[in-house]
């Protein structure tokens, strides 16, 4: 059975293709499997990707306001081709990752030795300790448990096919599902579509599908990468809100050999930072 | 790095509690192993359980509540290897945090 990673990257004011190139190099180093890029860009570094699938954007653009450490920025956001991954993936076993999900250890290799149809993370841990993204996240109110589309493992099977087809249907009828599940429809979210499709197609039961073990470790959009050391340590900083015991100020943490979803697109595409991160993939 | 950024870093405080929480969770994820299609977490309980039997094969419940007919020795060896690797990583990182106060300590 063939296995590989698929990454979507559509450039806007943010260079997603560069992010995907970095992510692909890290995959090759730590998981040692090929990577396919799905993009509308023809300007892609040679020799990185196993296959490049050119797929034009067909849906409307969304604008999203990202709150970065240095302020906020309104950016065009292309996230709507994701449900087509089932048809576009050239692999029997696929690990779909966001372009900003960076792999620094081989832990996810085990997914390819399981016999599960489709898996994703069901909870997030934010490295700042903020609880806004963490356990108990819901789609809508009262809602169903959130499943995170940042990392999705699937094989070619009826359930996975059904989930991605259902996600397509949700995307095309997003207003209807926003009403049915009682969430804000302004922004299409793959997390929502995946959560609804998975839950519905496994018998409207929150425990009939398998989650990837452990947390989706995340650095939220307010977190900057201060520096990447040649020893592999990545130093993250953010503005801390004041509490009764600790005044407002700057905090930092450091990670090494740990996969992480970096939501701050400005920090990850900063030329110095992406160069330093790329050196870790060598 | 510009001087403002350097000053910010120098003034930054290490978020030790958040660091230890995420470290513990990722340590746990690193204990994940697969065997005959099942998924197991190489915790001491699993290692002790496998060690307490002598049968070549034994049914063991995986983390998704599926009984897997395991090759006991093979699963034990895999669990011990994963436990050793993950626990060394965890211990090293915890020890390192004790010496971190400022960014310059990293």
């Amino acid at each position: 059975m063939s296995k590989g990673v698929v990454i979507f990257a559509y450039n806007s004011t943010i260079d997603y293709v560069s992010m995907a190139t970095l992510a692909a190099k890290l995959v090759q180093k730590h998981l040692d499997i090929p990577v396919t890029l799905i993009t509308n860009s023809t300007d892609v570094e040679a020799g990185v990707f196993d296959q490049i699938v050119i797929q034009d954007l067909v849906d409307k653009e969304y604008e999203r306001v990202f709150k970065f450490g240095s302020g906020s920025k309104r950016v065009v956001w292309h996230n709507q081709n994701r449900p087509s991954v089932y048809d576009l993936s050239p692999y029997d076993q696929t690990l779909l990752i966001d372009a900003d999900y960076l792999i620094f250890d081989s832990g996810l290799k085990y997914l390819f030795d399981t016999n599960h149809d489709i898996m994703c993370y069901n909870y997030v841990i934010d490295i700042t300790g903020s609880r806004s993204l963490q356990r108990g996240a819901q789609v809508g109110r009262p809602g169903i448990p959130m499943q995170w589309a940042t990392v999705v493992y699937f094989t070619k099977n009826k359930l996975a096919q059904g989930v991605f087809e259902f996600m397509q249907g949700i995307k095309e009828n997003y207003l209807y599902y926003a009403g049915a599940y009682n969430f804000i429809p302004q922004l299409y979210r793959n997390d929502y579509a995946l959560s609804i499709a998975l839950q519905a197609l496994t018998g409207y039961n929150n425990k009939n599908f398998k989650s990837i073990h452990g947390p989706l470790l995340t650095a939220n959009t307010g977190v900057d990468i201060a520096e990447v050391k040649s020893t592999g340590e990545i130093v993250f900083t953010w503005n801390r809100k004041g509490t009764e015991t600790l005044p407002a100020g700057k905090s930092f943490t450091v990670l090494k050999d740990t996969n992480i979803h970096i939501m701050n697109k400005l920090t990850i595409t900063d030329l110095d930072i992406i160069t330093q991160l790329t050196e870790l993939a060598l | 790095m510009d001087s403002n950024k350097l000053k910010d870093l120098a003034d930054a405080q290490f978020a030790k509690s958040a660091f230890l929480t995420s470290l513990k969770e990722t340590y746990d994820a690193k204990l994940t192993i697969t065997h005959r299609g099942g998924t197991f977490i190489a915790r001491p309980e699993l290692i002790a359980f496998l060690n307490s039997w002598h049968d070549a094969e034994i049914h063991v419940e995986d983390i998704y509540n599926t009984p897997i007919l395991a090759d006991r020795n093979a699963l034990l060896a895999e669990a011990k290897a994963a436990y050793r690797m993950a626990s060394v990583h965890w211990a090293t990182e915890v020890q390192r945090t004790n010496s971190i106060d400022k960014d310059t300590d990293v």
Side-chain angles (χ1 to χ4, degrees):
Chain A
M1 292 233 290
S2 61
K3 53 187 173 185
V5 168
V6 170
I7 304 174
F8 284 78
Y10 290 91
N11 284 345
S12 58
T13 48
I14 290 173
D15 186 355
Y16 279 88
V17 172
S18 291
M19 262 189 262
T21 303
L22 166 65
K25 289 176 178 176
L26 289 165
V27 165
Q28 285 151 1
K29 177 174 180 179
H30 295 286
L31 300 184
D32 194 23
I33 52 176
V35 183
T36 287
L37 177 70
I38 300 173
T39 183
N40 61 350
S41 174
T42 51
D43 185 16
V44 178
E45 185 178 328
V48 176
F49 295 98
D50 169 41
Q51 296 185 38
I52 298 170
V53 177
I54 300 294
Q55 175 84 350
D56 288 333
L57 284 165
V58 290
D59 295 302
K60 73 172 186 177
E61 293 179 345
Y62 281 89
E63 280 195 337
R64 181 177 182 182
V65 178
F66 286 103
K67 291 180 181 171
F68 301 113
S70 53
S72 60
K73 186 174 179 183
R74 183 178 291 273
V75 297
V76 174
W77 199 37
H78 302 294
N79 67 336
Q80 296 182 70
N81 279 15
R82 198 71 60 89
S84 60
V85 68
Y86 187 88
D87 296 322
L88 295 178
S89 172
Y91 310 114
D92 298 319
Q93 295 175 284
T94 300
L95 184 65
L96 168 67
I97 62 171
D98 279 5
D100 54 4
Y101 185 72
L102 302 185
I103 289 178
F104 291 102
D105 87 347
S106 60
L108 290 175
K109 266 186 177 175
Y110 86 89
L111 293 171
F112 295 93
D113 295 325
T114 63
N115 52 11
H116 301 303
D117 296 332
I118 182 165
M119 301 172 84
C120 59
Y121 283 106
N122 68 352
Y123 74 101
V124 165
I125 284 194
D126 189 327
I127 61 168
T128 67
S130 159
R131 296 185 181 278
S132 60
L133 294 169
Q134 295 185 0
R135 289 177 199 257
Q138 299 269 73
V139 177
R141 291 286 180 271
I144 60 171
M146 178 88 100
Q147 311 302 321
W148 297 87
T150 309
V151 179
V152 182
Y153 167 79
F154 65 93
T155 61
K156 301 280 187 180
N157 64 77
K158 282 187 176 175
L159 176 61
Q161 184 177 21
V163 167
F164 287 111
E165 283 178 1
F166 197 171
M167 285 176 72
Q168 183 71 26
I170 292 167
K171 187 183 79 177
E172 289 165 4
N173 301 280
Y174 204 56
L175 270 178
Y176 167 79
Y177 284 96
Y181 284 82
N182 193 24
F183 60 79
I184 297 167
Q186 269 73 10
L187 196 66
Y188 170 74
R189 287 193 59 177
N190 284 302
D191 300 319
Y192 286 9
L194 177 66
S195 305
I196 294 168
L198 254 181
Q199 199 242 14
L201 291 181
T202 54
Y204 292 98
N205 186 318
N206 300 328
K207 295 187 175 174
N208 276 354
F209 51 86
K210 314 303 182 197
S211 301
I212 298 173
H213 179 65
L216 174 64
L217 197 65
T218 298
N220 70 53
T221 54
V223 177
D224 291 316
I225 297 176
E227 60 179 320
V228 181
K229 295 179 183 282
S230 58
T231 48
E233 284 110 338
I234 304 172
V235 181
F236 297 88
T237 62
W238 63 93
N239 292 320
R240 179 186 65 242
K241 288 178 182 168
T243 65
E244 286 180 5
T245 53
L246 194 60
K250 204 93 175 169
S251 285
F252 79 93
T253 192
V254 57
L255 293 179
K256 186 182 180 187
D257 301 335
T258 303
N259 302 341
I260 185 154
H261 181 207
I262 299 173
M263 295 176 72
N264 183 340
K265 324 298 184 210
L266 294 185
T267 198
I268 198 177
T269 52
D270 176 275
L271 189 58
D272 285 343
I273 296 298
I274 202 166
T275 302
Q276 292 166 18
L277 287 168
T278 301
E279 283 170 11
L280 296 185
L282 298 176
Chain B
M1 197 181 293
D2 66 45
S3 56
N4 286 336
K5 213 167 171 184
L6 274 173
K7 183 182 180 315
D8 271 357
L9 265 182
D11 292 342
Q13 286 198 332
F14 181 41
K16 190 168 183 174
S17 169
F19 172 84
L20 289 175
T21 301
S22 57
L23 178 63
K24 181 71 175 73
E25 292 279 352
T26 52
Y27 155 74
D28 198 55
K30 285 174 193 285
L31 292 173
T32 310
I33 54 173
T34 54
H35 178 77
R36 292 185 172 176
T39 306
F40 300 90
I41 310 302
R43 294 200 178 99
E45 296 88 332
L46 175 67
I47 293 168
F49 174 77
L50 293 170
N51 220 13
S52 69
W53 289 78
H54 299 285
D55 308 48
E57 291 189 316
I58 184 172
H59 281 99
V60 186
E61 183 183 13
D62 83 346
I63 61 168
Y64 301 114
N65 308 116
T66 307
I68 303 292
L69 182 61
D71 176 330
R72 189 184 61 83
N73 277 325
L75 179 56
L76 179 60
E78 290 165 35
K80 286 168 78 173
Y83 179 81
R84 181 183 298 276
M85 192 185 70
S87 58
V88 166
H89 173 82
W90 185 37
T92 306
E93 291 297 293
V94 169
Q95 194 172 28
R96 199 160 61 95
T97 64
N98 293 331
S99 61
I100 296 176
D101 184 26
K102 296 291 177 194
D103 166 68
T104 46
D105 299 328
V106 177

